[in-house]
Amino acid sequence: MDEKQYSWPDIHFIFGDDNFYNSSLRQIFVILKEAIEDVSMYCKEYDHFCEMIDSCSRIDVNNSMAQHEWSTDEFQEILQQHTDQSFVSSYRLGLIEVDTTSFRNTILPYPQNILKDICKHLPTIASKKNTELITTIKTASKKLDKYPESVEEFVDHLSFLALMLRQLPSLEKEFTVVTKLFTLIRDFDIVMEGEELALYQTLMPTFTHLKSVIIQCEAKRDENIQKFSRDLEYLVDDLKQQLYVLKQDIRVSSLLDADTISIVALGKIQDLTERVEALIEKAHDYSTYQDQFGAALSAATKRRALLEQGIIDGSTSVNSALSLQSEITEVQRDLSLRRMLWESIDEWDKLYVELIKSIFESLDVEGLQKTVNRFAQTIFLLDKGLPVNDILPNLKEKVLRFREVMPIISSLKNQSLKQRHWTIIQRILGPQIRSKGFTLGDLLTLQ
């Protein structure tokens, strides 16, 4: 049997029965156990670092920003989460000194990579938003700072002022966003170009200037509306003069003179039509301007203007603009009737030349009847709408004379005609009526 080997000196052999020794040993074990438990409890304080690493592993800053625009709250949350971490490299717990250097070096790259990506994107985003906002504000300030010189410019000014009043809350919101972004850059010591920081310093005074300009424009709005309303009255009066001249040009005798060449008359009518369209556009614009002026006036100014016979909705000037549009519509109708007259003359003459050459056997009687009826209706409209002239009676005579022949044409094209009928017809009109080359012109000659 092998004897158990003991190293010498064998402490247990020597002191094994010593009560003091055994008591001291038990105390040492207790102390070590307590120290290890303290270390274990202390290590639990680092569990949140493990949770942070798990969170970091799931965060892809570049991909997330590519999918949606980060809010300032998202930036702030991520920055605080990965920077506000107190980390003690070495700490003594009684007998044991805990060294966390290795643990620290292992986990640091995770939050550092996230912070690196954020530090790359955040200054660019902040700079872009700041530049765009300043550009928008300066453009708006420039437009509102410029005093309008004409009614058209004032209408644009008034519309833009209303637009800026609606957009001001959005600009305030965007201003807050830019301010928060630059505050994050400052608070977390993120590196940014000095020029961009200097540009940001101009944002607040620039925005303050815009709001001041808006307030000034609002304060002078009613005064300017009344001023440019008077200018608009002059424009309406000038438009009336142009309309009067146009009426005289339309009613000249040459447009209803039988000696006038058709192409000359239609060319002049086209020129007059362009002038009428220009007047219609201006009249519509002026009426719209007056509506805008009336809608933009404050209630107090409207009441005062009403008492002073001013220019507001329902006043004389608005009615004059509406009546002007009505007058232009009448002029447009007169011109349209004259165009219809000359176009009908040209169309009938061309149609008649084609008809007399048409082979009688292949005539479309139903279509021809519709065409003749259409011309008859046109003549009726022209007769009611045009003053007495030498042209319409001539066209009317041509169309009605041809219309009188239509019953004969319809009868000769009746599919129910028998040979005995044709024998009688040929005896009266001649045998050529059934020849292949017989035309409508030949029939009219026989008549």
Side-chain angles (χ1 to χ4, degrees):
M1 183 175 183
D2 295 335
E3 294 183 359
K4 189 175 181 179
Q5 298 295 323
Y6 295 98
S7 61
W8 188 261
D10 186 346
I11 303 300
H12 182 70
F13 178 76
I14 299 173
F15 299 105
D17 295 331
D18 190 307
N19 291 331
F20 180 76
Y21 167 77
N22 290 327
S23 175
S24 299
L25 195 60
R26 285 193 296 270
Q27 290 179 5
I28 291 172
F29 285 151
V30 170
I31 293 172
L32 288 175
K33 182 181 178 181
E34 291 176 351
I36 291 173
E37 289 177 352
D38 290 341
V39 170
S40 178
M41 291 295 295
Y42 178 73
C43 289
K44 289 182 179 180
E45 297 180 8
Y46 287 80
D47 286 349
H48 68 281
F49 288 105
C50 297
E51 295 173 359
M52 181 190 70
I53 298 306
D54 183 58
S55 173
C56 289
S57 64
R58 294 194 301 269
I59 295 176
D60 186 344
V61 174
N62 295 322
N63 184 47
S64 178
M65 288 188 179
Q67 292 180 357
H68 76 283
E69 182 178 341
W70 278 25
S71 66
T72 55
D73 291 338
E74 286 179 287
F75 277 113
Q76 185 171 11
E77 180 183 355
I78 296 299
L79 286 169
Q80 287 180 344
Q81 183 179 348
H82 297 89
T83 55
D84 293 346
Q85 301 291 347
S86 57
F87 204 105
V88 180
S89 299
S90 178
Y91 188 76
R92 175 169 288 280
L93 289 170
L95 297 174
I96 302 175
E97 182 174 355
V98 180
D99 187 356
T100 59
T101 303
S102 178
F103 178 74
R104 178 177 181 275
N105 293 337
T106 302
I107 68 171
L108 269 182
Y110 290 91
Q112 284 178 344
N113 289 336
I114 291 178
L115 293 174
K116 180 180 178 182
D117 289 337
I118 291 179
C119 291
K120 179 179 69 175
H121 290 287
L122 181 55
T124 303
I125 293 172
S127 176
K128 180 182 178 182
K129 285 183 173 293
N130 181 56
T131 302
E132 290 176 350
L133 183 57
I134 288 179
T135 300
T136 301
I137 291 172
K138 285 186 175 180
T139 301
S141 297
K142 184 177 180 181
K143 291 188 71 172
L144 292 176
D145 272 332
K146 182 182 178 183
Y147 186 78
E149 299 294 336
S150 65
V151 172
E152 290 79 9
E153 288 183 4
F154 179 67
V155 170
D156 291 340
H157 171 87
L158 201 60
S159 300
F160 189 73
L161 176 60
L163 175 65
M164 292 310 303
L165 288 171
R166 293 194 301 269
Q167 290 185 347
L168 195 57
S170 298
L171 293 177
E172 291 276 10
K173 183 178 179 181
E174 190 64 16
F175 174 80
T176 302
V177 169
V178 173
T179 302
K180 286 184 177 180
L181 290 176
F182 276 87
T183 300
L184 290 174
I185 291 172
R186 181 198 64 197
D187 292 346
F188 290 93
D189 295 327
I190 298 175
V191 178
M192 191 172 190
E193 294 290 338
E195 293 180 359
E196 301 297 338
L197 291 172
L199 181 62
Y200 167 69
Q201 298 301 320
T202 66
L203 177 60
M204 181 174 288
T206 303
F207 192 33
T208 302
H209 173 70
L210 173 62
K211 289 188 283 189
S212 299
V213 171
I214 291 176
I215 292 173
Q216 292 174 6
C217 290
E218 277 197 286
K220 296 181 179 179
R221 180 176 55 190
D222 288 358
E223 177 185 345
N224 287 332
I225 287 176
Q226 291 178 317
K227 173 188 178 302
F228 283 100
S229 291
R230 290 189 291 272
D231 293 345
L232 186 55
E233 280 190 331
Y234 297 136
L235 293 177
V236 172
D237 290 340
D238 180 66
L239 202 60
K240 287 181 178 180
Q241 294 298 320
Q242 295 181 44
L243 180 61
Y244 175 78
V245 173
L246 183 59
K247 284 181 180 179
Q248 301 306 313
D249 292 341
I250 291 175
R251 292 169 182 171
V252 293
S253 58
S254 62
L255 290 181
L256 295 175
D257 190 346
D259 295 331
T260 304
I261 301 174
S262 175
I263 189 172
V264 174
L266 287 172
K268 187 169 185 179
I269 289 173
Q270 179 59 34
D271 294 338
L272 293 170
T273 300
E274 292 175 0
R275 289 168 59 187
V276 169
E277 290 174 351
L279 291 183
I280 290 174
E281 184 177 356
K282 285 185 178 181
H284 177 269
D285 289 343
Y286 294 165
S287 179
T288 303
Y289 295 165
Q290 289 172 335
D291 290 341
Q292 287 180 292
F293 290 173
L297 275 174
S298 65
T301 304
K302 284 183 179 181
R303 288 193 296 269
R304 185 170 62 253
L306 181 60
L307 294 174
E308 297 174 357
Q309 299 299 316
I311 302 172
I312 60 171
D313 292 337
S315 66
T316 304
S317 65
V318 175
N319 289 332
S320 68
L322 295 176
S323 64
L324 183 61
Q325 286 183 293
S326 177
E327 290 181 42
I328 295 176
T329 301
E330 292 179 7
V331 170
Q332 189 178 29
R333 174 182 169 278
D334 290 343
L335 191 58
S336 297
L337 289 173
R338 285 162 174 77
R339 178 189 291 276
M340 185 186 299
L341 172 63
W342 286 102
E343 289 179 346
S344 297
I345 291 172
D346 281 354
E347 185 182 356
W348 178 260
D349 289 343
K350 292 177 183 178
L351 177 64
Y352 187 79
V353 172
E354 293 176 1
L355 287 175
I356 61 176
K357 295 179 181 179
S358 300
I359 301 300
F360 185 78
E361 187 65 28
S362 60
L363 274 179
D364 178 10
V365 178
E366 185 179 352
L368 181 58
Q369 184 67 62
K370 289 181 179 179
T371 301
V372 173
N373 290 339
R374 176 170 60 85
F375 273 95
Q377 291 174 357
T378 300
I379 290 172
F380 177 78
L381 292 175
L382 294 174
D383 204 12
K384 292 290 184 182
L386 288 175
V388 177
N389 61 86
D390 299 332
I391 306 175
L392 184 58
N394 186 26
L395 174 64
K396 185 176 182 180
E397 181 183 357
K398 292 178 181 179
V399 175
L400 294 182
R401 187 189 309 155
F402 190 89
R403 193 179 186 184
E404 292 173 355
V405 184
M406 283 304 302
I408 299 174
I409 297 173
S410 298
S411 298
L412 291 175
K413 292 289 291 182
N414 191 335
Q415 299 297 321
S416 301
L417 289 175
K418 306 299 182 181
Q419 181 59 41
R420 66 178 183 275
H421 300 135
W422 282 113
T423 301
I424 299 173
I425 293 172
Q426 285 177 304
R427 187 185 308 135
I428 298 172
L429 299 179
Q432 69 274 20
I433 193 171
R434 299 199 71 183
S435 63
K436 292 184 178 179
F438 188 75
T439 64
L440 179 59
D442 295 333
L443 177 64
L444 297 176
T445 302
L446 292 174
Q447 185 191 17

